[in-house]
Amino acid sequence: MSGSSNLDVMLAGGGAAFVVDLIVYPLDTLKTRQQSRDFVNTFADPSTKTKLPSRQLFKGLYQGLGIVIVATLPAAGTFFTTYETVKTFISRHGVPLGLPQPLVHSAASAIAECASCLVLTPSEVVKQNAQMLQQHAGASRGSASLQALRQLGGAGAGPKLLSGYTALVARNLPFTAIQFPIFEFLRARIWGQRSGVSRNGTGFDTREKDSLLETGVITGTSAGLAGSFAAVITTPMDVVKTRMMLFAGNDRDVRQGAHDRISSPRDTSKYNSRGGFAIAREVIAERGISGLFRGAALRAVWTAVGSGLYLGTYEVAKVWLARRKGYDIDDKSFL
């Protein structure tokens, strides 16, 4: 990357993440509810024998958005800044030794995810518990994020706010390791076919006349295809992560406003202390292997839309910022 500062990276990444969060957040909420342990009991219409979703499933689809907005800039900034720094460092020292570019991208994205997840986990815990809140008639409608935080223990929620960090890393590491090499490859091929310029291992020669729209469409398409594939593959880790984070909120993974009920005598403190493999085995025991892929279709759709908009908007913003400051952009591989 030439000329762009870390501040530009953070602004571009944070702005892109904010736009995407607003657009695809309802799909994320539906996915969280579908993956919850008591999905059928809580969101199925009792008047039907087929257990079709009730209207309750589609209420409050933006619950928990507040905490996501607060965490967007630092989490996205941490990821992109770390990714760019590590990728540049490895490329500079590894490529001369013959290190393959896909390995460079995978290693850089893995390190960036570990750093970003430290910032993201607390907001994910609050967000997913907020997404499960059910607002009843006559109940006070304050901030869902604040209600979820109070249920987690308020100021004393420290340890709970890191619940699921390992599961989040276990999901995001393979996700980015799969997505980014495919994304970089697809984008390189599309740019190469469009302009007839071949990739030389360090980037593309570019022209100022490349439009921002073209940059966004090519980047977004590549990111969306790569992201949807990676989303399906990593859905089992996402299911485990969702269970762990929801159980951090209370004695069950579904909160019902002021009408909390424990649906089973399960000792959830022991449940929370169990590892991801134990939770995965429980999901299989409940619903079979298909239970680990619950929400895969929703996740693939919102990831395709989200990744396409996210990385497309990010790159467009980054190119625009660079051109506005008069930088000479000499690389199509901005990420």
Side-chain angles (χ1 to χ4, degrees):
M1 178 179 63
S2 170
S4 291
S5 65
N6 285 342
L7 179 59
D8 288 343
V9 174
M10 291 187 70
L11 288 174
F18 177 74
V19 171
V20 171
D21 285 338
L22 290 177
I23 296 174
V24 303
Y25 193 84
L27 293 178
D28 181 47
T29 299
L30 290 174
K31 186 269 302 180
T32 296
R33 291 173 178 176
Q34 189 176 16
Q35 290 179 345
S36 66
R37 181 167 60 90
D38 289 338
F39 168 74
V40 174
N41 294 335
T42 304
F43 294 108
D45 188 346
S47 65
T48 64
K49 296 181 180 180
T50 56
K51 299 294 184 182
L52 292 175
S54 66
R55 293 182 180 179
Q56 189 68 39
L57 176 65
F58 302 99
K59 291 182 178 179
L61 294 181
Y62 277 95
Q63 289 177 180
L65 181 62
I67 191 66
V68 173
I69 292 175
V70 170
T72 288
L73 183 59
T78 298
F79 176 84
F80 283 112
T81 301
T82 305
Y83 180 80
E84 299 244 16
T85 301
V86 173
K87 191 182 80 167
T88 300
F89 177 83
I90 297 178
S91 296
R92 201 170 284 166
H93 296 84
V95 172
L97 300 176
L99 199 62
Q101 279 294 312
L103 184 58
V104 172
H105 297 146
S106 294
S109 63
I111 295 172
E113 276 296 344
C114 288
S116 178
C117 283
L118 282 174
V119 179
L120 190 60
T121 299
S123 67
E124 276 286 301
V125 173
V126 174
K127 179 199 78 173
Q128 293 205 298
N129 280 277
Q131 287 173 327
M132 298 301 296
L133 286 169
Q134 295 188 44
Q135 301 291 351
H136 296 283
S140 104
R141 294 179 175 272
S143 166
S145 295
L146 291 178
Q147 290 181 51
L149 184 59
R150 283 195 296 268
Q151 291 176 1
L152 287 162
K160 290 184 178 180
L161 291 179
L162 290 177
S163 297
Y165 170 76
T166 55
L168 184 62
V169 171
R171 182 200 71 178
N172 286 6
L173 281 184
F175 178 86
T176 53
I178 293 170
Q179 181 191 26
F180 273 78
I182 296 176
F183 162 62
E184 298 273 12
F185 172 78
L186 290 175
R187 184 173 59 169
R189 289 297 297 272
I190 295 173
W191 275 118
Q193 290 178 0
R194 171 211 162 275
S195 61
V197 179
S198 63
R199 190 171 183 84
N200 59 16
T202 59
F204 284 89
D205 294 325
T206 185
R207 299 186 295 261
E208 184 69 19
K209 68 179 182 180
D210 290 332
S211 70
L212 293 179
L213 177 60
E214 187 177 29
T215 297
V217 169
I218 291 177
T219 300
T221 300
S222 303
L225 291 173
S228 61
F229 175 76
V232 173
I233 298 299
T234 57
T235 296
M237 287 79 87
D238 187 57
V239 171
V240 171
K241 186 264 310 181
T242 298
R243 292 288 187 98
M244 293 177 73
M245 289 185 171
L246 291 180
F247 267 89
N250 207 312
D251 293 329
R252 54 178 302 185
D253 58 348
V254 179
R255 293 285 296 183
Q256 301 188 1
H259 305 282
D260 304 325
R261 296 189 302 272
I262 299 176
S263 59
S264 72
R266 176 196 308 273
D267 183 346
T268 55
S269 64
K270 291 181 180 179
Y271 184 95
N272 286 327
S273 67
R274 294 162 63 190
F277 284 111
I279 295 176
R281 285 195 297 269
E282 181 172 276
V283 172
I284 293 174
E286 291 174 359
R287 298 190 174 117
I289 295 294
S290 63
L292 290 176
F293 287 90
R294 196 171 185 85
L298 271 174
R299 189 161 183 261
V301 171
W302 82 258
T303 302
V305 175
S307 289
L309 290 173
Y310 187 17
L311 296 181
T313 305
Y314 166 74
E315 185 138 326
V316 167
K318 192 173 174 184
V319 172
W320 181 80
L321 286 169
R323 289 180 181 176
R324 185 169 174 242
K325 294 186 178 183
Y327 293 142
D328 179 22
I329 303 173
D330 57 5
D331 189 353
K332 277 281 186 244
S333 182
F334 295 112
L335 286 174

